[in-house]
PDB file of all heavy atoms in Angstrom:
ATOM      1  N   MET A 129      57.539 -27.084  97.042  1.00  0.00           N
ATOM      2  CA  MET A 129      58.618 -26.310  97.640  1.00  0.00           C
ATOM      3  C   MET A 129      58.043 -25.071  98.335  1.00  0.00           C
ATOM      4  O   MET A 129      57.248 -24.338  97.753  1.00  0.00           O
ATOM      5  CB  MET A 129      59.598 -25.873  96.544  1.00  0.00           C
ATOM      6  CG  MET A 129      60.816 -25.150  97.048  1.00  0.00           C
ATOM      7  SD  MET A 129      61.886 -24.602  95.709  1.00  0.00           S
ATOM      8  CE  MET A 129      62.197 -26.088  94.841  1.00  0.00           C
ATOM      9  N   SER A 130      58.478 -24.835  99.555  1.00  0.00           N
ATOM     10  CA  SER A 130      58.011 -23.657 100.279  1.00  0.00           C
ATOM     11  C   SER A 130      58.716 -22.412  99.745  1.00  0.00           C
ATOM     12  O   SER A 130      59.754 -22.493  99.092  1.00  0.00           O
ATOM     13  CB  SER A 130      58.273 -23.805 101.778  1.00  0.00           C
ATOM     14  OG  SER A 130      59.654 -23.707 102.032  1.00  0.00           O
ATOM     15  N   VAL A 131      58.178 -21.270 100.062  1.00  0.00           N
ATOM     16  CA  VAL A 131      58.735 -20.004  99.604  1.00  0.00           C
ATOM     17  C   VAL A 131      60.132 -19.796 100.171  1.00  0.00           C
ATOM     18  O   VAL A 131      61.040 -19.352  99.451  1.00  0.00           O
ATOM     19  CB  VAL A 131      57.806 -18.826  99.988  1.00  0.00           C
ATOM     20  CG1 VAL A 131      58.429 -17.500  99.627  1.00  0.00           C
ATOM     21  CG2 VAL A 131      56.458 -18.969  99.328  1.00  0.00           C
ATOM     22  N   MET A 132      60.334 -20.108 101.420  1.00  0.00           N
ATOM     23  CA  MET A 132      61.649 -19.907 102.039  1.00  0.00           C
ATOM     24  C   MET A 132      62.721 -20.803 101.410  1.00  0.00           C
ATOM     25  O   MET A 132      63.852 -20.369 101.192  1.00  0.00           O
ATOM     26  CB  MET A 132      61.582 -20.152 103.548  1.00  0.00           C
ATOM     27  CG  MET A 132      60.794 -19.093 104.297  1.00  0.00           C
ATOM     28  SD  MET A 132      61.314 -17.398 103.930  1.00  0.00           S
ATOM     29  CE  MET A 132      62.945 -17.391 104.600  1.00  0.00           C
ATOM     30  N   ILE A 133      62.371 -22.032 101.110  1.00  0.00           N
ATOM     31  CA  ILE A 133      63.323 -22.925 100.443  1.00  0.00           C
ATOM     32  C   ILE A 133      63.626 -22.408  99.041  1.00  0.00           C
ATOM     33  O   ILE A 133      64.778 -22.413  98.603  1.00  0.00           O
ATOM     34  CB  ILE A 133      62.775 -24.373 100.420  1.00  0.00           C
ATOM     35  CG1 ILE A 133      62.779 -24.939 101.832  1.00  0.00           C
ATOM     36  CG2 ILE A 133      63.586 -25.246  99.479  1.00  0.00           C
ATOM     37  CD1 ILE A 133      62.132 -26.296 101.954  1.00  0.00           C
ATOM     38  N   PHE A 134      62.581 -21.962  98.341  1.00  0.00           N
ATOM     39  CA  PHE A 134      62.780 -21.396  97.006  1.00  0.00           C
ATOM     40  C   PHE A 134      63.724 -20.190  97.048  1.00  0.00           C
ATOM     41  O   PHE A 134      64.655 -20.098  96.251  1.00  0.00           O
ATOM     42  CB  PHE A 134      61.429 -20.991  96.407  1.00  0.00           C
ATOM     43  CG  PHE A 134      61.550 -20.143  95.180  1.00  0.00           C
ATOM     44  CD1 PHE A 134      61.986 -20.682  93.984  1.00  0.00           C
ATOM     45  CD2 PHE A 134      61.255 -18.791  95.225  1.00  0.00           C
ATOM     46  CE1 PHE A 134      62.115 -19.898  92.853  1.00  0.00           C
ATOM     47  CE2 PHE A 134      61.382 -18.002  94.107  1.00  0.00           C
ATOM     48  CZ  PHE A 134      61.813 -18.554  92.909  1.00  0.00           C
ATOM     49  N   ILE A 135      63.500 -19.296  97.982  1.00  0.00           N
ATOM     50  CA  ILE A 135      64.352 -18.106  98.088  1.00  0.00           C
ATOM     51  C   ILE A 135      65.791 -18.494  98.421  1.00  0.00           C
ATOM     52  O   ILE A 135      66.737 -18.010  97.790  1.00  0.00           O
ATOM     53  CB  ILE A 135      63.782 -17.124  99.138  1.00  0.00           C
ATOM     54  CG1 ILE A 135      62.478 -16.510  98.631  1.00  0.00           C
ATOM     55  CG2 ILE A 135      64.793 -16.024  99.449  1.00  0.00           C
ATOM     56  CD1 ILE A 135      61.737 -15.713  99.680  1.00  0.00           C
ATOM     57  N   LYS A 136      65.950 -19.368  99.411  1.00  0.00           N
ATOM     58  CA  LYS A 136      67.299 -19.711  99.886  1.00  0.00           C
ATOM     59  C   LYS A 136      68.084 -20.559  98.885  1.00  0.00           C
ATOM     60  O   LYS A 136      69.269 -20.310  98.651  1.00  0.00           O
ATOM     61  CB  LYS A 136      67.202 -20.455 101.212  1.00  0.00           C
ATOM     62  CG  LYS A 136      68.551 -20.821 101.795  1.00  0.00           C
ATOM     63  CD  LYS A 136      68.396 -21.522 103.129  1.00  0.00           C
ATOM     64  CE  LYS A 136      69.760 -21.918 103.676  1.00  0.00           C
ATOM     65  NZ  LYS A 136      69.630 -22.666 104.920  1.00  0.00           N
ATOM     66  N   PHE A 137      67.453 -21.549  98.289  1.00  0.00           N
ATOM     67  CA  PHE A 137      68.184 -22.517  97.481  1.00  0.00           C
ATOM     68  C   PHE A 137      68.130 -22.263  95.973  1.00  0.00           C
ATOM     69  O   PHE A 137      68.930 -22.833  95.236  1.00  0.00           O
ATOM     70  CB  PHE A 137      67.703 -23.935  97.777  1.00  0.00           C
ATOM     71  CG  PHE A 137      68.074 -24.403  99.140  1.00  0.00           C
ATOM     72  CD1 PHE A 137      67.107 -24.557 100.117  1.00  0.00           C
ATOM     73  CD2 PHE A 137      69.392 -24.669  99.458  1.00  0.00           C
ATOM     74  CE1 PHE A 137      67.447 -24.996 101.385  1.00  0.00           C
ATOM     75  CE2 PHE A 137      69.750 -25.096 100.725  1.00  0.00           C
ATOM     76  CZ  PHE A 137      68.777 -25.257 101.693  1.00  0.00           C
ATOM     77  N   ILE A 138      67.203 -21.447  95.506  1.00  0.00           N
ATOM     78  CA  ILE A 138      67.112 -21.194  94.065  1.00  0.00           C
ATOM     79  C   ILE A 138      67.239 -19.716  93.729  1.00  0.00           C
ATOM     80  O   ILE A 138      68.091 -19.333  92.921  1.00  0.00           O
ATOM     81  CB  ILE A 138      65.789 -21.757  93.483  1.00  0.00           C
ATOM     82  CG1 ILE A 138      65.772 -23.284  93.618  1.00  0.00           C
ATOM     83  CG2 ILE A 138      65.629 -21.360  92.021  1.00  0.00           C
ATOM     84  CD1 ILE A 138      64.497 -23.936  93.170  1.00  0.00           C
ATOM     85  N   LEU A 139      66.418 -18.862  94.318  1.00  0.00           N
ATOM     86  CA  LEU A 139      66.339 -17.460  93.897  1.00  0.00           C
ATOM     87  C   LEU A 139      67.647 -16.699  94.143  1.00  0.00           C
ATOM     88  O   LEU A 139      68.182 -16.073  93.221  1.00  0.00           O
ATOM     89  CB  LEU A 139      65.184 -16.762  94.612  1.00  0.00           C
ATOM     90  CG  LEU A 139      64.896 -15.341  94.151  1.00  0.00           C
ATOM     91  CD1 LEU A 139      64.451 -15.336  92.698  1.00  0.00           C
ATOM     92  CD2 LEU A 139      63.848 -14.699  95.028  1.00  0.00           C
ATOM     93  N   ILE A 140      68.157 -16.746  95.347  1.00  0.00           N
ATOM     94  CA  ILE A 140      69.377 -15.987  95.665  1.00  0.00           C
ATOM     95  C   ILE A 140      70.591 -16.501  94.884  1.00  0.00           C
ATOM     96  O   ILE A 140      71.300 -15.696  94.257  1.00  0.00           O
ATOM     97  CB  ILE A 140      69.624 -15.964  97.187  1.00  0.00           C
ATOM     98  CG1 ILE A 140      68.525 -15.148  97.871  1.00  0.00           C
ATOM     99  CG2 ILE A 140      70.993 -15.407  97.515  1.00  0.00           C
ATOM    100  CD1 ILE A 140      68.538 -15.200  99.381  1.00  0.00           C
ATOM    101  N   PRO A 141      70.856 -17.820  94.850  1.00  0.00           N
ATOM    102  CA  PRO A 141      72.012 -18.275  94.051  1.00  0.00           C
ATOM    103  C   PRO A 141      71.869 -17.968  92.559  1.00  0.00           C
ATOM    104  O   PRO A 141      72.844 -17.598  91.901  1.00  0.00           O
ATOM    105  CB  PRO A 141      72.051 -19.788  94.287  1.00  0.00           C
ATOM    106  CG  PRO A 141      71.292 -20.019  95.529  1.00  0.00           C
ATOM    107  CD  PRO A 141      70.277 -18.935  95.608  1.00  0.00           C
ATOM    108  N   THR A 142      70.663 -18.090  92.031  1.00  0.00           N
ATOM    109  CA  THR A 142      70.439 -17.799  90.615  1.00  0.00           C
ATOM    110  C   THR A 142      70.669 -16.327  90.320  1.00  0.00           C
ATOM    111  O   THR A 142      71.315 -15.982  89.320  1.00  0.00           O
ATOM    112  CB  THR A 142      69.010 -18.216  90.206  1.00  0.00           C
ATOM    113  OG1 THR A 142      68.880 -19.631  90.382  1.00  0.00           O
ATOM    114  CG2 THR A 142      68.712 -17.862  88.769  1.00  0.00           C
ATOM    115  N   ALA A 143      70.154 -15.455  91.152  1.00  0.00           N
ATOM    116  CA  ALA A 143      70.335 -14.011  90.940  1.00  0.00           C
ATOM    117  C   ALA A 143      71.817 -13.624  91.026  1.00  0.00           C
ATOM    118  O   ALA A 143      72.307 -12.854  90.186  1.00  0.00           O
ATOM    119  CB  ALA A 143      69.515 -13.219  91.955  1.00  0.00           C
ATOM    120  N   ILE A 144      72.522 -14.163  91.997  1.00  0.00           N
ATOM    121  CA  ILE A 144      73.946 -13.847  92.134  1.00  0.00           C
ATOM    122  C   ILE A 144      74.742 -14.387  90.949  1.00  0.00           C
ATOM    123  O   ILE A 144      75.581 -13.685  90.373  1.00  0.00           O
ATOM    124  CB  ILE A 144      74.493 -14.393  93.471  1.00  0.00           C
ATOM    125  CG1 ILE A 144      73.880 -13.623  94.637  1.00  0.00           C
ATOM    126  CG2 ILE A 144      76.014 -14.328  93.509  1.00  0.00           C
ATOM    127  CD1 ILE A 144      74.155 -14.222  95.995  1.00  0.00           C
ATOM    128  N   PHE A 145      74.493 -15.624  90.565  1.00  0.00           N
ATOM    129  CA  PHE A 145      75.210 -16.228  89.439  1.00  0.00           C
ATOM    130  C   PHE A 145      74.994 -15.446  88.143  1.00  0.00           C
ATOM    131  O   PHE A 145      75.944 -15.145  87.420  1.00  0.00           O
ATOM    132  CB  PHE A 145      74.776 -17.689  89.246  1.00  0.00           C
ATOM    133  CG  PHE A 145      75.402 -18.340  88.062  1.00  0.00           C
ATOM    134  CD1 PHE A 145      76.714 -18.785  88.122  1.00  0.00           C
ATOM    135  CD2 PHE A 145      74.693 -18.521  86.888  1.00  0.00           C
ATOM    136  CE1 PHE A 145      77.307 -19.395  87.024  1.00  0.00           C
ATOM    137  CE2 PHE A 145      75.280 -19.115  85.786  1.00  0.00           C
ATOM    138  CZ  PHE A 145      76.591 -19.564  85.859  1.00  0.00           C
ATOM    139  N   ASN A 146      73.746 -15.097  87.848  1.00  0.00           N
ATOM    140  CA  ASN A 146      73.462 -14.369  86.612  1.00  0.00           C
ATOM    141  C   ASN A 146      74.016 -12.950  86.642  1.00  0.00           C
ATOM    142  O   ASN A 146      74.417 -12.423  85.610  1.00  0.00           O
ATOM    143  CB  ASN A 146      71.963 -14.369  86.323  1.00  0.00           C
ATOM    144  CG  ASN A 146      71.512 -15.710  85.813  1.00  0.00           C
ATOM    145  OD1 ASN A 146      71.935 -16.158  84.758  1.00  0.00           O
ATOM    146  ND2 ASN A 146      70.680 -16.377  86.587  1.00  0.00           N
ATOM    147  N   THR A 147      74.062 -12.351  87.802  1.00  0.00           N
ATOM    148  CA  THR A 147      74.675 -11.029  87.919  1.00  0.00           C
ATOM    149  C   THR A 147      76.176 -11.124  87.649  1.00  0.00           C
ATOM    150  O   THR A 147      76.740 -10.271  86.956  1.00  0.00           O
ATOM    151  CB  THR A 147      74.418 -10.446  89.319  1.00  0.00           C
ATOM    152  OG1 THR A 147      72.994 -10.390  89.537  1.00  0.00           O
ATOM    153  CG2 THR A 147      74.979  -9.049  89.438  1.00  0.00           C
ATOM    154  N   LEU A 148      76.813 -12.164  88.152  1.00  0.00           N
ATOM    155  CA  LEU A 148      78.246 -12.346  87.905  1.00  0.00           C
ATOM    156  C   LEU A 148      78.530 -12.727  86.453  1.00  0.00           C
ATOM    157  O   LEU A 148      79.550 -12.329  85.896  1.00  0.00           O
ATOM    158  CB  LEU A 148      78.815 -13.402  88.856  1.00  0.00           C
ATOM    159  CG  LEU A 148      78.841 -13.010  90.332  1.00  0.00           C
ATOM    160  CD1 LEU A 148      79.334 -14.166  91.185  1.00  0.00           C
ATOM    161  CD2 LEU A 148      79.680 -11.765  90.547  1.00  0.00           C
ATOM    162  N   ILE A 149      77.637 -13.471  85.844  1.00  0.00           N
ATOM    163  CA  ILE A 149      77.792 -13.833  84.428  1.00  0.00           C
ATOM    164  C   ILE A 149      77.691 -12.593  83.537  1.00  0.00           C
ATOM    165  O   ILE A 149      78.241 -12.544  82.440  1.00  0.00           O
ATOM    166  CB  ILE A 149      76.707 -14.872  84.045  1.00  0.00           C
ATOM    167  CG1 ILE A 149      77.145 -16.256  84.450  1.00  0.00           C
ATOM    168  CG2 ILE A 149      76.365 -14.857  82.588  1.00  0.00           C
ATOM    169  CD1 ILE A 149      78.272 -16.845  83.657  1.00  0.00           C
ATOM    170  N   THR A 150      77.005 -11.570  84.021  1.00  0.00           N
ATOM    171  CA  THR A 150      76.864 -10.330  83.256  1.00  0.00           C
ATOM    172  C   THR A 150      78.223  -9.653  83.031  1.00  0.00           C
ATOM    173  O   THR A 150      78.418  -9.010  81.998  1.00  0.00           O
ATOM    174  CB  THR A 150      75.909  -9.364  83.993  1.00  0.00           C
ATOM    175  OG1 THR A 150      74.682 -10.033  84.242  1.00  0.00           O
ATOM    176  CG2 THR A 150      75.632  -8.119  83.185  1.00  0.00           C
ATOM    177  N   ILE A 151      79.141  -9.812  83.946  1.00  0.00           N
ATOM    178  CA  ILE A 151      80.449  -9.142  83.839  1.00  0.00           C
ATOM    179  C   ILE A 151      81.187  -9.533  82.553  1.00  0.00           C
ATOM    180  O   ILE A 151      81.590  -8.649  81.802  1.00  0.00           O
ATOM    181  CB  ILE A 151      81.297  -9.385  85.106  1.00  0.00           C
ATOM    182  CG1 ILE A 151      80.618  -8.743  86.313  1.00  0.00           C
ATOM    183  CG2 ILE A 151      82.707  -8.855  84.927  1.00  0.00           C
ATOM    184  CD1 ILE A 151      81.221  -9.127  87.651  1.00  0.00           C
ATOM    185  N   PRO A 152      81.363 -10.827  82.240  1.00  0.00           N
ATOM    186  CA  PRO A 152      82.033 -11.126  80.966  1.00  0.00           C
ATOM    187  C   PRO A 152      81.133 -10.965  79.739  1.00  0.00           C
ATOM    188  O   PRO A 152      81.622 -10.699  78.640  1.00  0.00           O
ATOM    189  CB  PRO A 152      82.479 -12.583  81.125  1.00  0.00           C
ATOM    190  CG  PRO A 152      81.584 -13.155  82.145  1.00  0.00           C
ATOM    191  CD  PRO A 152      81.201 -12.027  83.058  1.00  0.00           C
ATOM    192  N   LEU A 153      79.832 -11.114  79.914  1.00  0.00           N
ATOM    193  CA  LEU A 153      78.922 -11.010  78.769  1.00  0.00           C
ATOM    194  C   LEU A 153      78.680  -9.577  78.315  1.00  0.00           C
ATOM    195  O   LEU A 153      78.472  -9.335  77.123  1.00  0.00           O
ATOM    196  CB  LEU A 153      77.570 -11.645  79.106  1.00  0.00           C
ATOM    197  CG  LEU A 153      77.471 -13.141  79.030  1.00  0.00           C
ATOM    198  CD1 LEU A 153      76.082 -13.596  79.438  1.00  0.00           C
ATOM    199  CD2 LEU A 153      77.803 -13.639  77.649  1.00  0.00           C
ATOM    200  N   TYR A 154      78.680  -8.646  79.239  1.00  0.00           N
ATOM    201  CA  TYR A 154      78.324  -7.265  78.929  1.00  0.00           C
ATOM    202  C   TYR A 154      79.158  -6.663  77.793  1.00  0.00           C
ATOM    203  O   TYR A 154      78.585  -6.136  76.836  1.00  0.00           O
ATOM    204  CB  TYR A 154      78.390  -6.394  80.191  1.00  0.00           C
ATOM    205  CG  TYR A 154      78.158  -4.940  79.930  1.00  0.00           C
ATOM    206  CD1 TYR A 154      76.888  -4.464  79.644  1.00  0.00           C
ATOM    207  CD2 TYR A 154      79.204  -4.027  79.942  1.00  0.00           C
ATOM    208  CE1 TYR A 154      76.663  -3.129  79.395  1.00  0.00           C
ATOM    209  CE2 TYR A 154      78.995  -2.691  79.699  1.00  0.00           C
ATOM    210  CZ  TYR A 154      77.722  -2.249  79.425  1.00  0.00           C
ATOM    211  OH  TYR A 154      77.514  -0.923  79.166  1.00  0.00           O
ATOM    212  N   PRO A 155      80.497  -6.718  77.840  1.00  0.00           N
ATOM    213  CA  PRO A 155      81.266  -6.104  76.745  1.00  0.00           C
ATOM    214  C   PRO A 155      81.017  -6.776  75.386  1.00  0.00           C
ATOM    215  O   PRO A 155      80.960  -6.106  74.365  1.00  0.00           O
ATOM    216  CB  PRO A 155      82.724  -6.268  77.166  1.00  0.00           C
ATOM    217  CG  PRO A 155      82.720  -6.758  78.544  1.00  0.00           C
ATOM    218  CD  PRO A 155      81.362  -7.234  78.882  1.00  0.00           C
ATOM    219  N   ILE A 156      80.847  -8.087  75.392  1.00  0.00           N
ATOM    220  CA  ILE A 156      80.605  -8.815  74.146  1.00  0.00           C
ATOM    221  C   ILE A 156      79.267  -8.419  73.547  1.00  0.00           C
ATOM    222  O   ILE A 156      79.166  -8.075  72.364  1.00  0.00           O
ATOM    223  CB  ILE A 156      80.666 -10.333  74.395  1.00  0.00           C
ATOM    224  CG1 ILE A 156      82.050 -10.733  74.896  1.00  0.00           C
ATOM    225  CG2 ILE A 156      80.291 -11.111  73.142  1.00  0.00           C
ATOM    226  CD1 ILE A 156      82.123 -12.125  75.474  1.00  0.00           C
ATOM    227  N   LEU A 157      78.216  -8.475  74.359  1.00  0.00           N
ATOM    228  CA  LEU A 157      76.879  -8.136  73.868  1.00  0.00           C
ATOM    229  C   LEU A 157      76.784  -6.665  73.499  1.00  0.00           C
ATOM    230  O   LEU A 157      76.144  -6.304  72.502  1.00  0.00           O
ATOM    231  CB  LEU A 157      75.828  -8.501  74.914  1.00  0.00           C
ATOM    232  CG  LEU A 157      75.641  -9.994  75.177  1.00  0.00           C
ATOM    233  CD1 LEU A 157      74.669 -10.205  76.318  1.00  0.00           C
ATOM    234  CD2 LEU A 157      75.180 -10.710  73.929  1.00  0.00           C
ATOM    235  N   LYS A 158      77.416  -5.817  74.275  1.00  0.00           N
ATOM    236  CA  LYS A 158      77.385  -4.388  73.992  1.00  0.00           C
ATOM    237  C   LYS A 158      77.999  -4.098  72.618  1.00  0.00           C
ATOM    238  O   LYS A 158      77.430  -3.329  71.831  1.00  0.00           O
ATOM    239  CB  LYS A 158      78.140  -3.629  75.083  1.00  0.00           C
ATOM    240  CG  LYS A 158      78.153  -2.135  74.897  1.00  0.00           C
ATOM    241  CD  LYS A 158      78.932  -1.475  76.018  1.00  0.00           C
ATOM    242  CE  LYS A 158      79.067   0.004  75.793  1.00  0.00           C
ATOM    243  NZ  LYS A 158      79.860   0.650  76.833  1.00  0.00           N
ATOM    244  N   SER A 159      79.125  -4.712  72.320  1.00  0.00           N
ATOM    245  CA  SER A 159      79.755  -4.467  71.015  1.00  0.00           C
ATOM    246  C   SER A 159      78.899  -5.013  69.878  1.00  0.00           C
ATOM    247  O   SER A 159      78.774  -4.365  68.834  1.00  0.00           O
ATOM    248  CB  SER A 159      81.152  -5.077  70.972  1.00  0.00           C
ATOM    249  OG  SER A 159      81.093  -6.482  70.972  1.00  0.00           O
ATOM    250  N   GLN A 160      78.285  -6.165  70.072  1.00  0.00           N
ATOM    251  CA  GLN A 160      77.414  -6.728  69.034  1.00  0.00           C
ATOM    252  C   GLN A 160      76.190  -5.852  68.786  1.00  0.00           C
ATOM    253  O   GLN A 160      75.811  -5.601  67.640  1.00  0.00           O
ATOM    254  CB  GLN A 160      76.962  -8.141  69.417  1.00  0.00           C
ATOM    255  CG  GLN A 160      78.056  -9.157  69.431  1.00  0.00           C
ATOM    256  CD  GLN A 160      78.669  -9.337  68.066  1.00  0.00           C
ATOM    257  OE1 GLN A 160      77.994  -9.434  67.060  1.00  0.00           O
ATOM    258  NE2 GLN A 160      79.996  -9.366  68.031  1.00  0.00           N
ATOM    259  N   PHE A 161      75.582  -5.370  69.855  1.00  0.00           N
ATOM    260  CA  PHE A 161      74.379  -4.558  69.707  1.00  0.00           C
ATOM    261  C   PHE A 161      74.697  -3.164  69.180  1.00  0.00           C
ATOM    262  O   PHE A 161      73.888  -2.567  68.473  1.00  0.00           O
ATOM    263  CB  PHE A 161      73.605  -4.487  71.022  1.00  0.00           C
ATOM    264  CG  PHE A 161      73.031  -5.821  71.432  1.00  0.00           C
ATOM    265  CD1 PHE A 161      72.890  -6.148  72.768  1.00  0.00           C
ATOM    266  CD2 PHE A 161      72.644  -6.764  70.497  1.00  0.00           C
ATOM    267  CE1 PHE A 161      72.375  -7.363  73.153  1.00  0.00           C
ATOM    268  CE2 PHE A 161      72.129  -7.989  70.869  1.00  0.00           C
ATOM    269  CZ  PHE A 161      71.995  -8.284  72.197  1.00  0.00           C
ATOM    270  N   ARG A 162      75.867  -2.638  69.505  1.00  0.00           N
ATOM    271  CA  ARG A 162      76.273  -1.340  68.939  1.00  0.00           C
ATOM    272  C   ARG A 162      76.498  -1.457  67.438  1.00  0.00           C
ATOM    273  O   ARG A 162      76.139  -0.563  66.685  1.00  0.00           O
ATOM    274  CB  ARG A 162      77.522  -0.821  69.628  1.00  0.00           C
ATOM    275  CG  ARG A 162      77.217  -0.200  70.953  1.00  0.00           C
ATOM    276  CD  ARG A 162      78.127   0.984  71.187  1.00  0.00           C
ATOM    277  NE  ARG A 162      77.695   1.668  72.389  1.00  0.00           N
ATOM    278  CZ  ARG A 162      78.508   2.149  73.288  1.00  0.00           C
ATOM    279  NH1 ARG A 162      79.809   2.031  73.119  1.00  0.00           N
ATOM    280  NH2 ARG A 162      78.042   2.760  74.339  1.00  0.00           N
ATOM    281  N   LYS A 163      77.106  -2.563  67.004  1.00  0.00           N
ATOM    282  CA  LYS A 163      77.286  -2.786  65.558  1.00  0.00           C
ATOM    283  C   LYS A 163      75.929  -2.884  64.875  1.00  0.00           C
ATOM    284  O   LYS A 163      75.723  -2.323  63.799  1.00  0.00           O
ATOM    285  CB  LYS A 163      78.096  -4.058  65.309  1.00  0.00           C
ATOM    286  CG  LYS A 163      79.548  -3.928  65.668  1.00  0.00           C
ATOM    287  CD  LYS A 163      80.274  -5.240  65.488  1.00  0.00           C
ATOM    288  CE  LYS A 163      81.693  -5.150  66.007  1.00  0.00           C
ATOM    289  NZ  LYS A 163      82.379  -6.442  65.977  1.00  0.00           N
TER     290      LYS A 163
END
Side-chain angles (χ1 to χ4, degrees):
M129 184 183 305
S130 71
V131 175
M132 291 309 294
I133 290 174
F134 168 72
I135 291 171
K136 181 178 178 183
F137 291 109
I138 296 176
L139 186 64
I140 293 172
T142 297
I144 292 170
F145 176 78
N146 285 297
T147 302
L148 293 176
I149 278 290
T150 306
I151 296 169
L153 280 178
Y154 175 74
I156 299 166
L157 292 175
K158 181 180 175 182
S159 69
Q160 292 297 315
F161 293 148
R162 281 216 173 139
K163 288 176 187 174

